[in-house]
Amino acid sequence: MTGTAPPGPRLPALLQTFAFLLAPGRYITACQRRYGDVVRFSTKFDSNFVMVFDPAIVKQVFQAPPDRLHAGKANSLLGPVLGERSVLLLDGDEHLRQRKLMLPPFHGKRLAGYAEVMREAADNAIDAWPVGREFALMPSMQLLTLEVIMRTVFGVEEGARKDELTRRIRAMLDPVSRRAGVVLLAMSGGYLGRRRIVERFERRRAEVDEMIYEEIAMRRTAPDLEERDDVFSMLVLARDEDGRPLSDGELRDELVTLLVAGHETTATGLAWTFDLLLHNPRVLAKIEEEGDDYLDAVVKESLRIRAVIPGIGRVVQKEPFSLNGYEIPVGIEINPSIAGVHRRAYPHHSEFRPERFLEPDPPDTYTWIPFGGGVRRCLGASFALMEMRTVVRRVLERTRLEPAGDPDKVERRGITMVPKRGVRVIQPQPPS
Ligand code: HEM
């Protein structure tokens, strides 16, 4: 970068890579303190990128015209799983077209209709919890959120086909989410040489695709298509401004995108919310007394203090991008740091205090950014928030959980920040 480049550490890329892998939070915070709110880094994964920590500067990024900053390019690592027509990977007009087609089912009455499914999925999860014995919440939340997606997004009927599709999806995603770094990197260029892992993944993806394409064929001719209320059926019926429907390939990629974007993330958000609640008896007691506004604040504060996705990317296009007086060259990725903003913009940032969201001057769309922002803001944000509120409420209505040990530690897994031990808890009494 030239004279107007942002400041940043001068450590060799290899050392910075280790710092990012071993202690990302500590390293990034230290650099933010030392260099300010726009910091340039260099690692073995990306030799030149810029992180942003200040809400006002994040606003410049979120409000930039979509043809100047591309998010799809920054998400390209997800390509092998999602497919190239995924809304997460597209940019420009194509992105806007897909996004518009996908938005309606995630709003208003349609969304409200999914609450019952979420409550039932919570009941199924609670019914399966052991009594008087320690267990991890995270896997249970993963099953729960997958069940919700299968019913609300895919709309597949209960039965052998649904079970088989769920099994194939888990077989495809489990290793990816566990070892995303390795697997995805290996696939995107193969330079880690893990050919066997790649081949196994491709086989499993083909098994999922086979069933999804069968579902697409069946859905297109389903006699009750117009009456169905799942996202899949709405996408089959959707038409863009030129009257064009989504092709089979586009449908496949968007369905897998919704699955990947909406399942692990929400499960992680829920697991963290319980971890925080169970270690904060004051907040737990207050939820029981207060109404839905406080519950909403609890969920939002959980996503603030434990950002599920710690940062997002935008790649500069066309000409250098001017960012708070610095000049960022074409091709460089700008990363609004979600976790960084969630620290930087809040007094006593490490305190779990839902009241922040209920006081005058509450967090806004640039200080509270767990779902990103601008034209790329998470399509499922309202869906996820509703699911989290519904599940937390249902669990508190039906049972009591106790923490088994200290608050969980944060561990990076692929693109998410998960609880290291999976949030271990005990249910002392059977649920009602
Ligand atoms: C707590 C749960 C969730 C979190 C923390 C989360 C977070 C995010 C973030 C950070 C982005 C990138 C935004 C940006 O680049 O500015 C995103 C995008 C997206 N999310 Fe979510 N998400 C969650 C749940 C969901 C759910 C439930 C769905 C759907 C069922 C979903 C679907 C999507 C889609 C389709 C995009 C791409 C939007 C675009 O590129 O236009 N997410 N999400």
Side-chain angles (χ1 to χ4, degrees), residues 62 71 75 87-88 95 99 102 106 149 153 257-258 261-262 265-266 269 303 308-309 312-314 338 369-373 375-381 383-384 387-388:
F62 285 166
N75 296 333
V87 68
L88 262 163
H95 165 257
R99 193 174 159 95
M102 292 170 78
F106 290 99
I149 298 258
V153 173
T257 297
L258 292 171
T265 46
T266 315
L303 291 171
V308 173
I309 297 181
I312 46 186
R314 304 285 190 265
I338 297 176
I369 54 168
F371 296 106
V375 288
R376 306 302 298 226
R377 187 171 188 266
C378 175
L379 270 174
F383 183 101
E387 182 167 353
M388 290 174 69

Side-chain angles (χ1 to χ4, degrees), residues 101-154:
L101 290 172
M102 292 170 78
L103 269 170
F106 290 99
H107 287 99
K109 250 189 28 220
R110 188 61 77 141
L111 179 63
Y114 297 145
E116 191 48 37
V117 173
M118 294 167 177
R119 220 170 81 108
E120 279 172 26
D123 277 335
N124 293 342
I126 297 165
D127 290 340
W129 289 346
V131 175
R133 179 160 60 76
E134 197 180 310
F135 69 101
L137 266 182
M138 184 70 192
S140 169
M141 293 297 116
Q142 284 166 318
L143 283 180
L144 186 164
T145 57
L146 185 55
E147 158 107 40
V148 168
I149 298 258
M150 293 306 284
R151 289 175 62 188
T152 60
V153 173
F154 280 71

Side-chain angles (χ1 to χ4, degrees), residues 6 68 71-72 84 97 121 125 131 137 149 162 178 187 192 195 197 213 232-233 243 256 273 340 370 374 397 415:
R68 296 299 320 288
E84 62 196 20
R97 170 180 179 261
V131 175
L137 266 182
I149 298 258
K162 176 177 168 235
R178 231 180 297 135
M187 286 183 301
L192 290 177
R195 209 46 231 168
I197 299 178
Y213 282 118
F232 185 174
S233 301
V256 174
T273 305
E397 273 167 9
I415 54 166

Side-chain angles (χ1 to χ4, degrees), residues 320-389:
F321 186 78
S322 155
L323 187 69
N324 209 42
Y326 298 116
E327 189 153 293
I328 316 296
V330 172
I332 298 296
E333 188 169 322
I334 302 175
N335 293 114
S337 167
I338 297 176
V341 168
H342 287 179
R343 283 193 291 265
R344 158 86 166 71
Y346 294 78
H348 307 290
H349 63 80
S350 53
E351 266 173 41
F352 181 57
R353 217 170 59 77
E355 288 76 6
R356 300 177 203 271
F357 288 83
L358 301 169
E359 287 161 359
D361 199 18
D364 62 26
T365 40
Y366 302 107
T367 51
W368 185 72
I369 54 168
F371 296 106
V375 288
R376 306 302 298 226
R377 187 171 188 266
C378 175
L379 270 174
S382 306
F383 183 101
L385 290 171
M386 185 170 91
E387 182 167 353
M388 290 174 69
R389 287 192 304 265

